[in-house]
Amino acid sequence: MMDTLKKWVEESKNIVFFGGAGVSTESGIPDFRGVDGLYRQKYAWPPEEILSIGFFIKNPEEYYRFYRDKILITNVDPNPAHFKLAQWEKEGKLRAVVTQNIDGLHQKAGSKRVYELHGSIHRNYCMKCGKFYTAEQLMEMEGVPTCTCGGVIKPDVVHYGEALDQGVMRMAMEAISSADMLIVGGTSLVVYPAAGMIDLYRGKRLVLINKSATPRDDLADLIIRDPIGQVLSQL
Ligand code: ZN
C-alpha cells in the first residue's frame, strides 16, 4: 500500500489534502469533545453546547472559561504530517490543504494555501468595532476578553449553530473538484457539511489515512490504517 501511495504522490501535480482532528492530536492537541469524570466536575454543559453561538452570547464567562482551557492552545508544534504537506506545496505538488482544525499548525509549518473550514483561533474580532486580535493577545487578557472600545472579542471560529464561511467553502470545493489526488487524513468523516465535500472529488486517487474505519471507506481507492504523521513522514 505504501508503494502505491508513494507512486501516486510522485506522479501527482495537483494534490489536495483534506484533514481533521487526527492531524492535530499527533501534535498533542487534545480532542475537545473528550468528556470524562474530570470534565463533568469542571463543566455543567457538554462541549458542543458551550461552543454554540447561542451559549457564547448568553454566557460568555463560561464560554471563555472552557475556551481558554480546551481550545486556545498555542504552545504546540507542527508534526511530520504538517511539514510534509508544506514541503509538497513548495515543490508545486500540492494545491491546497483543506482542514477542519482551527489551530493554525499548517501555517506554522509553512503552508500558504490553507482553507480553514471551521475558522482559526488566531483570528479574533471585536463584535462592536471589528478590531483584530491575535490568540496571544487573547491569552494575555483574563476572563471575557474585551476590546479597547469596550466590545466583547469573539474568536473567528465556526460555532455550533453558525454557518461555514461561503468564500472558504467555495475555494475548498474548487480545489477538491479539480484535484488529481485527494488525500483524506485524520478524520472520521462524520462532521457535515465538511465531510460531504470529498464527494466533489472526481479522480481515481482518493486515499483515506485514518486509524479507524470511516463511513466513507467504500469511496476510497486506497485505505491506510496508520497515524497520518507516521504515513506522510515515510513519503
Ligand atoms: Zn472594539
Side-chain angles (χ1 to χ4, degrees):
M1 280 184 299
M2 281 305 290
D3 289 345
T4 307
L5 181 59
K6 253 182 209 157
K7 182 170 170 286
W8 286 1
V9 167
E10 271 163 27
E11 290 171 359
S12 298
K13 294 182 184 69
N14 196 14
I15 301 172
V16 170
F17 178 81
F18 182 97
V23 180
S24 294
T25 48
E26 284 179 46
S27 281
I29 293 189
D31 188 347
F32 69 83
R33 294 174 195 86
V35 173
D36 53 16
L38 189 67
Y39 180 91
R40 289 199 179 84
Q41 281 171 32
K42 284 174 87 176
Y43 300 101
W45 295 274
E48 289 82 1
E49 189 168 343
I50 299 178
L51 287 177
S52 70
I53 185 63
F55 194 95
F56 175 82
I57 302 294
K58 261 190 318 218
N59 196 345
E61 293 80 12
E62 188 65 3
Y63 170 93
Y64 266 112
R65 192 168 73 87
F66 174 90
Y67 186 83
R68 290 178 182 284
D69 183 24
K70 301 279 185 190
I71 310 287
L72 190 56
I73 299 165
T74 58
N75 58 342
V76 286
D77 294 314
N79 64 57
H82 297 106
F83 286 119
K84 183 61 73 174
L85 294 165
Q87 180 196 322
W88 286 349
E89 183 183 333
K90 266 193 212 92
E91 293 170 358
K93 276 187 140 344
L94 181 128
R95 161 122 181 237
V97 168
V98 180
T99 182
Q100 297 170 283
N101 300 327
I102 58 176
D103 47 50
L105 284 176
H106 286 292
Q107 292 91 332
K108 206 169 176 180
S111 284
K112 305 285 181 218
R113 282 186 303 280
V114 183
Y115 302 135
E116 299 171 304
L117 298 176
H118 295 160
S120 173
I121 63 165
H122 296 284
R123 296 186 301 267
N124 306 277
Y125 296 97
C126 168
M127 292 175 77
K128 211 163 147 189
C129 75
K131 189 176 172 192
F132 171 84
Y133 290 88
T134 65
E136 287 71 24
Q137 286 175 302
L138 239 63
M139 289 174 91
E140 283 164 13
M141 304 176 193
E142 279 176 26
V144 178
T146 47
C147 180
T148 45
C149 83
V152 171
I153 300 168
K154 181 173 175 285
D156 188 15
V157 302
V158 178
H159 297 87
Y160 291 92
E162 278 185 317
L164 272 63
D165 183 284
Q166 288 302 306
V168 174
M169 280 275 274
R170 191 175 40 76
M171 289 188 286
M173 288 160 76
E174 227 272 295
I176 291 170
S177 61
S178 60
D180 61 1
M181 177 174 181
L182 178 63
I183 304 177
V184 179
T187 170
S188 47
L189 289 174
V190 289
V191 180
Y192 279 80
M197 293 180 76
I198 70 164
D199 293 336
L200 297 167
Y201 176 65
R202 295 278 169 252
K204 296 254 183 291
R205 290 178 174 183
L206 173 53
V207 184
L208 264 181
I209 305 170
N210 200 48
K211 283 189 272 188
S212 55
T214 82
R216 317 304 302 279
D217 280 4
D218 55 322
L219 284 179
D221 300 301
L222 183 66
I223 296 177
I224 297 177
R225 291 258 176 272
D226 285 310
I228 183 76
Q230 186 188 312
V231 175
L232 293 196
S233 64
Q234 290 174 55
L235 296 170

